[in-house]
Amino acid sequence: MPKRSPHTSQPASTPTEHPRALGAVRLSNLTEVTTSPGRQRACIQQCTDRLGFTLIAEAADLGVSARKMSPFERPSLSPWLQRPDEYDAIVWSHVDRAVRSVAHLSELVEWGRRHATTLVFVMPEERQPLVVTPQADSDAIRRCMNLAYAAEQEARALSARLTSAHEALRATGRYGGGLAPFGYKKAPHSSGVGWCLAPDPETVTVVRAIVDDVHSGLSLVAIAHRLEAAGVLVPRDRHAQLHGRPTGGRRHGRDFDRFRWTAGSLSKILRTPTLMGHRVHRGKTVRDSEGSPVLIGPPLLTEEEFQALQDILNARSNGTHPKRRETSLLIGVAHCAGCSGRMYFSTRKSYAYGDYACRASARGTTCPAPAAIRASWLDEYAVSRYREAFAVDGEVTRERLLRDGVRVTVAKGRSGGGPERLAGPDTSRLTFTVGPRP
């Protein structure tokens, strides 16, 4: 029977109507010449027509790896999986467009059973689509698992080949593709085979200006604001511009016309040995058999200039820091009242404790009233209120708080000190709420 939608008082469909289908399209690497999304859509449309389904919408995840990201983590498909009452089936052109992992497929099949949703894989090379209903027998599920296993093995083999190819490119100083380091752009290799990196005149001057600003004493946050005000593109957007693609994209569930500079992105640029023209892998200089750096392009800074820059950055970061926790209790739970953004655990130099603080500046935005509060105080407050609300005595974990929709909002406190400020949190600036579970 078709499912009822929780969003209307009327049935979403009746027995005489066609079942509603959601089309799901996915592609790991999107290029200007690829025709795969169009072919996937054609397969899905033909299959839904053949099965008597009504195609109501599409979830398109282009540029998303199925090996690295499960269906429940993908930007477009994930929100649909949280609203299963809006459709009766999901249709993919092939199993490997849905998953490249047996574990991910098992999770997806279990989700389909739990929400009475049919999973359809068109399989264009075969005469019949593979249909996994909520009541599917073991044979259909076993066939799906075999296909998922084959896709998983294929992905591993491809990854191994790419790893080997990139190792060879690293050893010869060739550019293997991807985001070019800031200050560089792709150029033909001097051997006439393949590519290397050459200074990008427009961003080389920006790199030099950033280095000069650091030497003058400006903080990375101040430099990031200066770059934003000047309209300088971040490395990702500059790379897109050089290749004739639109800037911006999707990050943390939000769409941006262009990305913003942050202190973190600046630190990555200033810390990488690529500034000396070195080939870098996992943050370290690649060296040849004699121990010399493998060069991928002309240096933007000399070794002496690079080391002087590192000395300044290291001097700024010195201090006594409290031990960071693996995962702070209230990440995703604590929010700033000023901007509604998440608060994150931050250390305090020369203090044995840390704070939860608004990180709007790190996201490249400005909060009108950034909040901060001692982490141990807010943890204790949240746990106490949670136990009162849910009448539990056991351990309270971050997973439990998120599962039960807990949200703690912190307003900005007053300036100044005093003995009363050391007694504990001012609960008048704290709000504890319980929303719908995810």
Side-chain angles (χ1 to χ4, degrees):
M1 291 290 290
K3 295 176 286 188
R4 286 179 174 267
S5 169
H7 304 293
T8 63
S9 59
Q10 298 296 325
S13 59
T14 66
T16 59
E17 293 177 341
H18 297 299
R20 303 158 299 168
L22 170 69
V25 176
R26 186 199 61 78
L27 184 66
S28 296
N29 297 304
L30 180 63
T31 66
E32 295 178 355
V33 297
T34 185
T35 60
S36 178
R39 287 184 280 114
Q40 291 182 51
R41 292 183 178 109
C43 285
I44 291 170
Q45 185 65 65
Q46 291 173 6
C47 180
T48 54
D49 292 344
R50 181 178 179 182
L51 295 177
F53 291 173
T54 298
L55 194 60
I56 62 165
E58 175 185 283
D61 288 299
L62 305 180
V64 174
S65 169
R67 185 173 67 88
K68 297 178 180 178
M69 194 174 292
S70 82
F72 299 90
E73 299 170 323
R74 295 172 198 164
S76 184
L77 181 58
S78 176
W80 281 101
L81 294 179
Q82 297 174 29
R83 308 193 305 272
D85 291 310
E86 297 183 11
Y87 48 89
D88 306 297
I90 307 178
V91 185
W92 289 269
S93 65
H94 201 284
V95 170
D96 61 15
R97 294 301 174 189
V99 296
R100 280 190 177 270
S101 160
V102 172
H104 291 168
L105 181 61
S106 178
E107 186 180 10
L108 193 60
V109 169
E110 177 58 31
W111 174 89
R113 283 182 170 176
R114 191 165 62 251
H115 296 287
T117 302
T118 298
L119 311 178
V120 181
F121 309 99
V122 180
M123 313 298 291
E125 70 277 10
E126 301 187 13
R127 295 196 308 176
Q128 297 291 336
L130 180 54
V131 180
V132 181
T133 66
Q135 301 81 26
D137 58 23
S138 57
D139 289 340
I141 295 176
R142 187 181 301 112
R143 186 180 170 207
C144 272
M145 292 298 177
N146 289 338
L147 290 169
Y149 178 76
E152 183 174 342
Q153 295 302 108
E154 181 185 17
R156 288 179 177 175
L158 179 61
S159 176
R161 289 197 296 271
L162 288 174
T163 299
S164 177
H166 280 284
E167 286 177 352
L169 290 172
R170 283 195 294 272
T172 57
R174 283 182 168 82
Y175 170 62
L179 181 64
F182 194 65
Y184 292 94
K185 63 180 180 179
K186 184 173 75 170
H189 195 272
S190 58
S191 67
V193 179
W195 302 90
C196 66
L197 294 177
D200 174 16
E202 184 171 324
T203 52
V204 165
T205 57
V206 175
V207 171
R208 296 298 319 191
I210 292 171
V211 173
D212 290 343
D213 284 342
V214 171
H215 280 282
S216 71
L218 279 182
S219 70
L220 296 187
V221 172
I223 297 173
H225 285 311
R226 178 175 291 189
L227 293 171
E228 278 295 308
V232 177
L233 295 178
V234 301
R236 181 172 170 180
D237 284 342
R238 175 60 177 166
H239 183 78
Q241 184 186 60
L242 287 172
H243 290 79
R245 296 196 295 266
T247 60
R250 191 171 184 84
R251 179 179 289 172
H252 305 309
R254 296 174 57 196
D255 293 315
F256 296 88
D257 293 332
R258 57 181 290 268
F259 294 110
R260 292 178 174 272
W261 285 97
T262 65
S265 60
L266 273 173
S267 179
K268 288 180 181 178
I269 291 172
L270 298 175
R271 291 288 194 178
T272 175
T274 303
L275 293 174
M276 297 183 287
H278 292 187
R279 159 68 79 179
V280 174
H281 180 56
R282 295 184 178 176
K284 302 294 183 182
T285 294
V286 177
R287 299 183 180 275
D288 60 22
S289 57
E290 298 179 355
S292 300
V294 174
L295 299 181
I296 197 171
L300 305 184
L301 300 179
T302 66
E303 290 189 16
E304 292 76 15
E305 289 173 326
F306 182 77
Q307 189 55 55
L309 177 64
Q310 304 313 302
D311 290 343
I312 293 174
L313 296 175
N314 291 336
R316 292 182 180 182
S317 63
N318 284 341
T320 303
H321 300 281
K323 184 178 179 181
R324 291 182 180 270
R325 293 171 283 184
E326 290 297 323
T327 302
S328 297
L329 178 67
L330 301 183
I331 300 299
V333 177
H335 291 75
C336 172
C339 62
S340 297
R342 287 185 177 186
M343 300 178 71
Y344 291 90
F345 180 79
S346 61
T347 59
R348 277 191 172 216
K349 291 184 179 181
S350 304
Y351 286 86
Y353 62 87
D355 298 326
Y356 286 109
C358 174
R359 295 295 302 278
S361 61
R363 296 191 294 269
T365 60
T366 302
C367 176
I373 188 170
R374 190 178 296 190
S376 58
W377 288 351
L378 194 61
D379 285 347
E380 183 178 351
Y381 168 83
V383 169
S384 175
R385 292 299 307 274
Y386 178 82
R387 285 176 172 158
E388 291 176 5
F390 290 87
V392 295
D393 296 322
E395 180 185 6
V396 177
T397 63
R398 175 172 176 265
E399 289 70 24
R400 290 184 67 172
L401 295 172
L402 293 172
R403 181 196 64 198
D404 291 325
V406 171
R407 182 185 178 102
V408 178
T409 305
V410 184
K412 183 178 181 179
R414 62 179 177 82
S415 60
E420 69 278 4
R421 296 288 301 278
L422 302 177
D426 175 8
T427 56
S428 66
R429 48 189 286 242
L430 306 180
T431 304
F432 180 94
T433 58
V434 178
R437 298 184 182 185

